[in-house]
Amino acid sequence: MARLLIVSNRLPISIRVDRGALCLTRSSGGLAAAMRGPHERMCAVWIGWQGSVAGLTPEQRQDADAALAGIRAVPVHLGATEQHRFYDGFSNGVLWPLFHYLLDKVNLDAELDWEAYQRVNERFADAVAAQYAPGDVIWVHDYQLMLLPALLRKRLPGAQIGFFLHVPFPSADVFRILPWREQIVRGLLGADLLGFHTAGYRKNFAASAAHVLGLDPDEAAIEHDGRRVALGVHPISIDAAEIERLAAHPAVREEAARIRAEAGGRKIVLGIDRLDYTKGIPRRLLAIERFLEREPELRDKVRFIQLAVPTREMAGAYAEFRRVVHEMVGRINGQHGTTYATPIHYMHRSVPLDQVVALYVAADVMLVTPLRDGMNLVAKEYVAARVDDDGALILSEFAGAASELAEAISVNPYDIGSVAAAVKHALTMPSAQQRTRMAALRRRVATHDVHTWAQSFLDDLDGAAAPDPALAAPSARRDVPESVVERVRHAPQRVWILDYDGTLVPFAPVPDLAAPDEELLALLRALSERDRVHVVSGRPRADIERWFGALPLHLHAEHGFWSRPLACDDWVPLESDAAAWKGEVRALLEDFTRRTPGSFIEEKTVTLAWHYRTVEPELAGEHLRALRARLAERVSVDALELLGGAKVLEIRPRGVHKGRVVPLILDDVPARAEVIAIGDDRTDEDIFAALPPSACTIHVGNSTSRAAYRLPDAGAVRRLLRSIHA
């Protein structure tokens, strides 16, 4: 039976020994709470680090593993140093601050930590592969395991793999600071579905993939390694019904009443955060101080409660941060406290969920002002707890939750004056307006709860991992086997049909920089001494003539519109008067070229090409979509076709394509000759389609192809040609 394999850095279980007895306690973090439902309902297996077991005896460790197995949890055992470098060193010393835009805290000299990050991701891949059975669905979570999807794809090519990022994905300009950016992007693209909290995070990842790997993502997917990787927006949520149940519980209501009584009739403004530098607590304290300075008449009417939950207590940076926060609270209370009360009631400890909900119920205003946050579930929990539809939520515009909770009072957490003003606005908001806002917020949180989130992601993963019938067969998914190489090597006669750009030479920023080198010219000359060699290129015939005219080759230019047989000095066109359409289209391309720095037009006899390889990726994508739309309005579908290539859009007459030269080539091929065709892009698919099944077809690169085999790049093509000619 197919299962769900949940993979995260930590298991949702803490292990400890109490008076000699082994105790397993469920964790209360956001990821643990979010995935508890799928883990229980779907009988899923959860794979992750079980926490430090240094204090356990060997027998207790065995007992712990057995106890974990009983609740379908599989531990990944890590050494203390390895775990420290992986988690504290790279995950939280590099990725966490980078993804939250706190660049001054990013350690970019972290080679040893990066090596540990790679090793631990490999360890997780081994653990998942050991648990995997055909049909299982794998769901990987968060920034600690961003290499894992590709590692799993290598071990388990046919597996359904989803990845969800629980933190923000930064803008491409910020992400590209990372020295290991390419490995991270390639790691993530091993998944079938990548999930993000917001459309903004998804857009940032797509832009990063475009910059780092030169890919052309659309809004919802990226083509990579011959696969389509879906990009989804799945804002995580909470178990709203459980929070509502707790909020209505008599014991919680009684605790909330006690909190209000302690406030002595003052309005309560609440903040609940992990004591992390991303949460903006110091700037929030400055905003509270500004409020107390601006509103002296309200000083004795408001009580600020700040619950700071300990996190990463062993890290030096966090110890310093804790000291700064404590000193700020002391300074503000010392300046603005009275003989009757202090303005800020500060608690630095963990609190059970029922007491947290009591605080939500008691608070008149919830202050959620992170500097940057993937989602922030505290905001949603506060909303769910307001069962009387009262209260006011102040929410940072840089929290992912801001994209959903539009009725909250939105603030810029860096602007302490506006946060102070928002506090006054929330405290003085008419009750009718409060109820209107909160009712709308509660409906949205209740509708889009954590169960809907999980099921939506799994449904999308199921759709993303399903094979596309249009691409299912055949597809270039195999390297050229040695048996095929031997067959070609010993064939009595061989006919080669070779593309040029991307096949015999790598792509260059501009076409003129991709002239053939002496090694290639010598290789083609040597090959043509025994074999028939056809070069079929989209290049203008002038380029092909200049580069290869002196070699004993059959030449085909402009996608086969022009051909120059070996024994002929003249180029022969495929048909006459095929370029009457170009005037209007050329004018449109010129307009887009003027508005797109780095782009240029290449004109051939019967085609026009708009190149955008050196254009900034976001601008290229935007203008390419607009250009396609404008061309679709003007171009006759029956007469012309738009052909997307490697950073180029080509407009050509319908029916003029490389496949048209195949019958001409095959008419002159001996019966026992081995035909080998090699190409890298969409234009070469027409050749593959026109050839008989007996031909050896090879796709270069990672795109989807009908070719039987594939090679990674132009260098591999040359090595193949040399090995067969030798």
Side-chain angles (χ1 to χ4, degrees), residues 126 410 434 443 552 585 656:
D126 292 338
S410 179
Q434 277 192 12
R443 281 195 301 272
V585 173
V656 175

mmCIF file of all heavy atoms in Angstrom, residues 126 410 434 443 552 585 656:
data_model
loop_
_atom_site.group_PDB
_atom_site.id
_atom_site.type_symbol
_atom_site.label_atom_id
_atom_site.label_comp_id
_atom_site.label_asym_id
_atom_site.label_seq_id
_atom_site.Cartn_x
_atom_site.Cartn_y
_atom_site.Cartn_z
ATOM 1 N N ASP A 126 19.710 8.673 2.004
ATOM 2 C CA ASP A 126 19.871 7.233 2.244
ATOM 3 C C ASP A 126 18.747 6.703 3.132
ATOM 4 O O ASP A 126 18.210 5.614 2.890
ATOM 5 C CB ASP A 126 21.227 6.955 2.895
ATOM 6 C CG ASP A 126 22.400 7.217 1.954
ATOM 7 O OD1 ASP A 126 22.187 7.209 0.722
ATOM 8 O OD2 ASP A 126 23.518 7.425 2.455
ATOM 9 N N SER A 410 -2.205 46.895 8.644
ATOM 10 C CA SER A 410 -0.893 46.612 8.069
ATOM 11 C C SER A 410 0.111 47.693 8.452
ATOM 12 O O SER A 410 -0.201 48.887 8.405
ATOM 13 C CB SER A 410 -0.997 46.534 6.540
ATOM 14 O OG SER A 410 0.267 46.284 5.963
ATOM 15 N N GLN A 434 -14.211 46.779 14.516
ATOM 16 C CA GLN A 434 -13.452 45.609 14.974
ATOM 17 C C GLN A 434 -14.155 44.316 14.559
ATOM 18 O O GLN A 434 -13.531 43.389 14.030
ATOM 19 C CB GLN A 434 -13.304 45.630 16.498
ATOM 20 C CG GLN A 434 -12.183 46.473 17.023
ATOM 21 C CD GLN A 434 -11.931 46.198 18.512
ATOM 22 O OE1 GLN A 434 -12.456 45.237 19.067
ATOM 23 N NE2 GLN A 434 -11.146 47.053 19.139
ATOM 24 N N ARG A 443 -13.417 33.985 9.149
ATOM 25 C CA ARG A 443 -13.968 33.149 8.074
ATOM 26 C C ARG A 443 -12.846 32.625 7.187
ATOM 27 O O ARG A 443 -12.835 31.448 6.805
ATOM 28 C CB ARG A 443 -14.971 33.954 7.241
ATOM 29 C CG ARG A 443 -16.335 34.101 7.868
ATOM 30 C CD ARG A 443 -17.357 34.580 6.847
ATOM 31 N NE ARG A 443 -16.997 35.867 6.260
ATOM 32 C CZ ARG A 443 -17.339 37.050 6.777
ATOM 33 N NH1 ARG A 443 -18.037 37.103 7.905
ATOM 34 N NH2 ARG A 443 -16.991 38.179 6.174
ATOM 35 N N PRO A 552 34.487 19.052 -46.807
ATOM 36 C CA PRO A 552 33.647 18.138 -47.611
ATOM 37 C C PRO A 552 32.384 17.730 -46.855
ATOM 38 O O PRO A 552 32.208 16.566 -46.475
ATOM 39 C CB PRO A 552 34.590 16.954 -47.852
ATOM 40 C CG PRO A 552 35.511 16.944 -46.684
ATOM 41 C CD PRO A 552 35.720 18.373 -46.306
ATOM 42 N N VAL A 585 6.230 42.190 -39.252
ATOM 43 C CA VAL A 585 6.787 41.506 -38.089
ATOM 44 C C VAL A 585 8.115 42.129 -37.689
ATOM 45 O O VAL A 585 8.413 42.310 -36.505
ATOM 46 C CB VAL A 585 6.950 39.998 -38.379
ATOM 47 C CG1 VAL A 585 7.698 39.303 -37.245
ATOM 48 C CG2 VAL A 585 5.586 39.349 -38.585
ATOM 49 N N VAL A 656 8.428 25.333 -43.126
ATOM 50 C CA VAL A 656 9.875 25.438 -43.336
ATOM 51 C C VAL A 656 10.543 25.010 -42.038
ATOM 52 O O VAL A 656 10.564 25.755 -41.062
ATOM 53 C CB VAL A 656 10.283 26.879 -43.713
ATOM 54 C CG1 VAL A 656 11.803 26.986 -43.794
ATOM 55 C CG2 VAL A 656 9.653 27.280 -45.027
#
